[in-house]
Amino acid sequence: MAWVAAVARLRARRESGVLVTVATVRGHAPREAGAKLVVGRTGAWGSIGGGNIEAVAIDRARELIEAAKSEPELIDFALNDKVTNQHGVQCCGGTVQVLLEPLPVVRAVAVFGVGHVGLELARILVRQDLDLHLIDSRAAMLTDERLGVLGDAVAQLHVHHTPLLPEEVLEDLPQGTHVLIMTHDHAEDAALCDAALRSTHLGSVGLIGSAAKWARFRKRLSTEGGHDDATIDRIKTPIGLPDITGKDPSTIAVSVAADLLRTFEAEEG
């Protein structure tokens, strides 16, 4: 399998990996500069020359995967019989430098409600390296014509039309998905909040709306949903940066996107 296809497969499966590249070669070596190997938890695709070089690179790549490291590393190899190697002797006579670049699982974000604000938010988030899920119960919000503004996406876009029970999508979202609830229907929002609190695999959960809306929701989640205060506090509302007060859809979207990016940075910290 070509290394590009291997990287794409890892991403599609939401599996982390490491891209290993022969960065420099001096003298004789098994492979030329630019040769690549993709390493996953249980598989490897491509080759940087076999032998000790490749075995050491695979071992170190899997250590990076287990430790969830994000910084790239360089490893130097001297190919002569005077070097003690972990996986046998390679005495081609040259030196090789290998670059290991971690390929983390990309974040996933689900936007429930692709109305005026939801679409503007999607236009921002689609420029990030994400798995972006757009969910709406209204087919008219998800037409190719309307979503055409997302055509130059960096993100992997997943569109879900859910005419009956949008909350059912929650269970199929990837582990750690950040959820933003902003549908056109407060009853739909309430059902999504309740379902999100019953799901243990999600990341942050945000709800758009006023303090009065949240007061009603909070009471309902407690009395009808049976959720305790600590569980209800998993929902962040209002969403967005508090010092951005504009109500234009594009302004709200910028505020919500910036708040979400802060959440991402807090996770990394």
Side-chain angles (χ1 to χ4, degrees):
M1 180 186 298
W3 71 268
V4 174
V7 171
R9 172 181 285 190
L10 287 175
R11 169 154 187 160
R13 292 179 174 178
R14 298 190 59 77
E15 297 176 10
S16 55
V18 174
L19 175 63
V20 183
T21 305
V22 176
T24 63
V25 174
R26 292 185 179 180
H28 295 288
R31 290 295 303 272
E32 68 285 354
K36 297 185 188 295
L37 166 72
V38 177
V39 181
R41 289 183 184 273
T42 59
W45 304 270
S47 176
I48 57 169
N52 182 70
I53 293 176
E54 189 161 308
V56 169
I58 290 174
D59 287 347
R60 182 54 185 157
R62 292 196 170 128
E63 290 174 355
L64 296 178
I65 292 170
E66 289 302 319
K69 297 287 188 181
S70 59
E71 295 297 319
E73 290 188 2
L74 285 168
I75 303 177
D76 295 309
F77 295 91
L79 307 181
N80 61 68
D81 56 8
K82 298 180 178 61
V83 177
T84 301
N85 292 325
Q86 184 178 355
H87 299 282
V89 176
Q90 281 181 296
C91 50
C92 304
T95 61
V96 173
Q97 189 174 62
V98 172
L99 174 65
L100 285 76
E101 298 176 88
L103 304 170
V105 176
V106 298
R107 291 185 175 88
V109 176
V111 178
F112 285 83
V114 195
H116 297 305
V117 176
L119 183 60
E120 291 294 335
L121 179 60
R123 293 179 70 176
I124 299 170
L125 294 181
V126 84
R127 303 304 305 159
Q128 300 292 316
D129 188 18
L130 300 167
D131 279 345
L132 180 59
H133 296 260
L134 302 179
I135 306 100
D136 207 296
S137 58
R138 303 163 294 173
M141 297 296 103
L142 302 174
T143 63
D144 291 342
E145 180 179 5
R146 189 166 186 270
L147 299 184
V149 293
L150 310 178
D152 60 347
V154 173
Q156 293 289 320
L157 195 60
H158 309 269
V159 178
H160 310 262
H161 176 223
T162 54
L164 296 177
L165 298 171
E167 58 269 26
E168 290 185 346
V169 174
L170 287 169
E171 291 306 312
D172 294 328
L173 293 174
Q175 180 76 28
T177 299
H178 296 271
V179 173
L180 296 168
I181 300 170
M182 49 179 63
T183 81
H184 67 295
D185 184 347
H186 283 198
E188 199 169 295
D189 282 355
L192 285 164
C193 286
D194 178 65
L197 293 181
R198 298 183 191 281
S199 301
T200 59
H201 69 292
L202 301 175
S204 66
V205 181
L207 171 68
I208 201 168
S210 65
K213 174 183 175 180
W214 178 235
R216 293 193 301 272
F217 275 32
R218 189 176 189 99
K219 181 178 180 180
R220 181 174 174 181
L221 289 169
S222 175
T223 58
E224 298 180 24
H227 302 288
D228 58 31
D229 287 344
T231 300
I232 295 172
D233 286 341
R234 284 178 52 203
I235 297 176
K236 178 178 181 180
T237 187
I239 49 177
L241 303 182
D243 49 345
I244 297 179
T245 59
K247 294 187 177 181
D248 181 82
S250 60
T251 301
I252 296 170
V254 168
S255 176
V256 171
D259 194 17
L260 184 62
L261 291 177
R262 281 186 173 178
T263 299
F264 293 167
E265 291 183 355
E267 284 185 338
E268 292 175 357

